[in-house]
Amino acid sequence: MPAAPRPSQRHLCNPGPARMGNWQASPQPRRGRSRSSGSGARSGTPPLVAHPRLLVLAIWLAVIFALGGSSRPDMPSLLVLRPASILMTGAGLWTLTGAQAARFKRIFGFVAATMALIALHLVPLPPAVWSALPGRELIAEIDQATGLAGAWRPLSMAPPWTWNALWFMFTPLSVLVHAAQLSTGELRKLGGVLLLLGLVSALLGIAQIAGGNGGSLYLYSVTHTGVSVGLFANRNHQALLLATLVPIALVWLRHHPVLIRFDQQDTRKVDLTNAAVAVLLGALFPLVLASGSRAGLAIAIVSVVVSLVVLPPRRANREAQSKARRGRLLLWPLLAVLGGLAITGIALKNDRALSIERLVELDPRKDFRSRVLPPVFLMIRHYAPVGSGIGTFEPVYQIDEPDELLDPEYANHVHSDWLEVALTAGVPGLLLLGCAVVAWLVGAWRCISAKSRRQRPEHELAIAGLLAILLTGIASITDYPLRTPSLSAVLVVLILWIDLGLSKQGSYQTDDGATTIAADAVPDHSF
């Protein structure tokens, strides 16, 4: 990991127009410049190998994506992921310092409050207390009939399901305790890790379509076969991942331009960065269409439009650009849109645009998820203010399910995480959710108003994180993406980026792992 530059060297750390962290602002020639500051990437060592903490977290994220693509509690892969998450959390806490925890104290505090609320739902209560809670009348009657009157019971109406929710939290917590130990530059490099994992999921999804229904490339027994789900069990989660990676990829390309060099002095080169953006956006829509996700298609459109507005393709010195040059820059996103429309038309002609087909054929009266909503609203009122117990929707809904909705299909979730939190966690859960929404709004406002920090790469990553979380929140209106371990791990990285980008103080870590935080600290611009 590169050592923090001295104040006298600050002019060397300003990124040049072509590449971040290239030391190009110095008038001295490149030959003979020492790279003894510890940057493995500059000395030829692979970036991940030069940063062992980053390597460990990258491998752990890959394991989470390989084993944690389903929200169901009965997946065999959880037999490996859950114990591994607890061990990784313990290992991270063992090496976590107080300064590192203080660096992200608000995030640690929110996770602690969430886990504390789940744990409180598992604390046994006296019979007079729990039987007086709303919605517990049936359990009290069963206890009377079976001779179990007087038993102490927790607030949760289905404790095993609440225990499952508590064990689930160790996966995002394990990512947090390890990511908190990374330097600023290493946290930014996690963007490349997420993009690589997204690419693997996209390629697997393409192979799944080629393999046909019921192919061996589907990782989970309960899944959407015949469509592209990648490393997930649910097509909506695959589409959401691809959509959230758009702003991350735009930030990554702004600081990792695609250049073809014709000489060592960089006097002749071709910048293909904007062409790469066009290819990225052009490939997004067919991948989402192949997933068959209606919500994913809408979210992908929102992601592309908003990302191009707030994170436009990288430009060289604005003052030196002519109007014709700026017009050519706008041509690439236009070509991407036209290419996406052309691919969509071809997909429709060949009956492969499953997302659009399902959207056209949608009948709210026959849609199972929309039929579940009326009884859900009644259940929220019935179990308020404490809720039925975190994670207990499936067994509790079977108690309150109307006879006219009995069907071979069953509801494993509300298909709206916002409503499920209100039902199962009650008012305390809504308060935590409200705190998260307020934090997002404050972060968005600070990003808009922080003109002095707009040139920092951390600020751009904060914008990408805010956009990705916004897309996740929109998806959660009709789905439950954050109940999959892999997407919950992505959420942790996004939140860390936001906190990092909005921090008023600079911070860096020395080679011995100590964290230094100072108002005038020089940021590490290596990306």
Side-chain angles (χ1 to χ4, degrees):
M1 185 183 70
R6 300 184 183 90
S8 61
Q9 294 176 328
R10 290 184 185 183
H11 68 285
L12 298 178
C13 295
N14 294 327
R19 182 183 298 175
M20 298 295 296
N22 248 6
W23 306 82
Q24 293 179 352
S26 173
Q28 300 178 12
R30 292 191 178 191
R31 62 181 182 273
R33 187 176 300 279
S34 173
R35 293 293 188 266
S36 60
S37 59
S39 176
R42 296 184 182 120
S43 62
T45 306
L48 289 180
V49 176
H51 304 276
R53 288 183 297 238
L54 177 62
L55 176 61
V56 170
L57 183 55
I59 294 174
W60 177 232
L61 286 172
V63 171
I64 293 174
F65 267 75
L67 302 177
S70 174
S71 63
R72 294 177 59 89
D74 56 354
M75 289 293 102
S77 60
L78 295 181
L79 295 174
V80 177
L81 181 60
R82 292 279 170 82
S85 297
I86 295 174
L87 291 175
M88 287 294 293
T89 300
L93 291 174
W94 182 263
T95 57
L96 184 69
T97 65
Q100 292 166 344
R103 187 184 181 196
F104 302 107
K105 57 182 180 296
R106 289 167 293 190
I107 303 175
F108 277 101
F110 185 84
V111 172
T114 302
M115 297 186 72
L117 179 60
I118 300 174
L120 286 175
H121 280 217
L122 294 168
V123 176
L125 301 174
V129 176
W130 72 259
S131 60
L133 297 175
R136 272 65 176 181
E137 298 83 6
L138 178 61
I139 298 178
E141 292 176 6
I142 294 175
D143 280 355
Q144 289 288 345
T146 57
L148 295 176
W152 287 47
R153 293 187 180 278
L155 185 151
S156 173
M157 295 181 62
W161 295 80
T162 305
W163 276 108
N164 173 69
L166 184 60
W167 300 135
F168 171 89
M169 288 297 299
F170 279 95
T171 299
L173 178 59
S174 66
V175 176
L176 176 59
V177 295
H178 284 276
Q181 302 178 49
L182 301 182
S183 67
T184 300
E186 290 170 334
L187 281 172
R188 290 198 296 265
K189 289 182 175 67
L190 285 178
V193 176
L194 295 183
L195 291 174
L196 181 59
L197 292 173
L199 176 62
V200 171
S201 188
L203 294 176
L204 179 59
I206 296 173
Q208 288 166 344
I209 297 176
N213 289 334
S216 59
L217 294 178
Y218 290 93
L219 303 183
Y220 301 96
S221 57
V222 181
T223 187
H224 294 121
T225 58
V227 297
S228 170
V229 297
L231 295 171
F232 297 91
N234 190 315
R235 56 189 163 203
N236 296 324
H237 302 161
Q238 165 80 343
L240 175 62
L241 174 68
L242 297 176
T244 54
L245 290 180
V246 170
I248 299 174
L250 290 181
V251 173
W252 187 264
L253 288 173
R254 287 168 71 92
H255 301 292
H256 292 78
V258 180
L259 301 176
I260 297 180
R261 306 178 189 275
F262 296 97
D263 54 34
Q264 296 292 333
Q265 288 73 30
D266 288 349
T267 57
R268 298 177 56 199
K269 60 186 177 183
V270 178
D271 190 345
L272 299 179
T273 304
N274 296 316
V277 172
V279 171
L280 167 71
L281 301 182
L284 173 67
F285 288 103
L287 290 171
V288 173
L289 291 173
S291 70
S293 172
R294 296 169 297 200
L297 177 60
I299 292 171
I301 295 174
V302 173
S303 175
V304 170
V305 173
V306 177
S307 297
L308 287 177
V309 170
V310 300
L311 293 169
R314 184 185 60 83
R315 298 197 293 262
N317 190 345
R318 293 186 179 182
E319 290 74 16
Q321 286 181 337
S322 64
K323 293 184 178 180
R325 170 61 177 164
R326 296 181 184 181
R328 287 195 296 270
L329 286 171
L330 295 176
L331 178 64
W332 290 110
L334 178 61
L335 289 176
V337 172
L338 294 176
L341 292 175
I343 294 173
T344 301
I346 296 173
L348 283 171
K349 184 178 180 180
N350 293 277
D351 297 327
R352 297 306 298 176
L354 300 180
S355 299
I356 296 179
E357 293 174 7
R358 294 181 67 239
L359 186 62
V360 172
E361 297 171 358
L362 176 63
D363 185 354
R365 295 172 298 178
K366 297 181 180 179
D367 185 65
F368 182 76
R369 289 178 291 185
S370 60
R371 293 163 60 201
V372 168
L373 290 180
V376 166
F377 285 113
L378 294 176
M379 292 172 65
I380 292 175
R381 294 178 57 186
H382 182 53
Y383 292 103
V386 295
S388 62
I390 296 176
T392 63
F393 170 76
E394 183 177 328
V396 171
Y397 179 74
Q398 295 171 8
I399 299 175
D400 297 272
E401 185 176 16
D403 293 342
E404 61 271 17
L405 292 184
L406 291 176
D407 194 87
E409 296 181 350
Y410 72 97
N412 62 333
H413 287 288
V414 179
H415 286 273
S416 175
D417 249 351
W418 300 91
L419 294 179
E420 187 160 345
V421 169
L423 170 59
T424 60
V427 174
L430 289 178
L431 289 176
L432 283 175
L433 197 58
C435 291
V437 173
V438 170
W440 186 92
L441 292 174
V442 171
W445 172 253
R446 291 178 60 188
C447 263
I448 295 173
S449 60
K451 296 181 179 179
S452 62
R453 294 194 294 270
R454 287 182 181 176
Q455 300 303 319
R456 292 173 52 194
E458 296 93 344
H459 183 265
E460 294 181 346
L461 271 181
I463 294 176
L466 287 166
L467 286 179
I469 292 178
L470 174 63
L471 296 173
T472 304
I474 296 174
S476 298
I477 297 175
T478 59
D479 201 54
Y480 45 93
L482 294 181
R483 297 184 186 270
T484 58
S486 50
L487 290 180
S488 70
V490 173
L491 177 67
V492 171
V493 177
L494 299 177
I495 295 174
L496 289 171
W497 283 345
I498 296 172
D499 192 277
L500 187 68
L502 299 180
S503 176
K504 293 183 178 179
Q505 294 177 322
S507 63
Y508 60 90
Q509 287 186 346
T510 58
D511 291 333
D512 60 359
T515 302
T516 301
I517 301 177
D520 60 346
V522 181
D524 172 17
H525 285 293
S526 63
F527 205 103

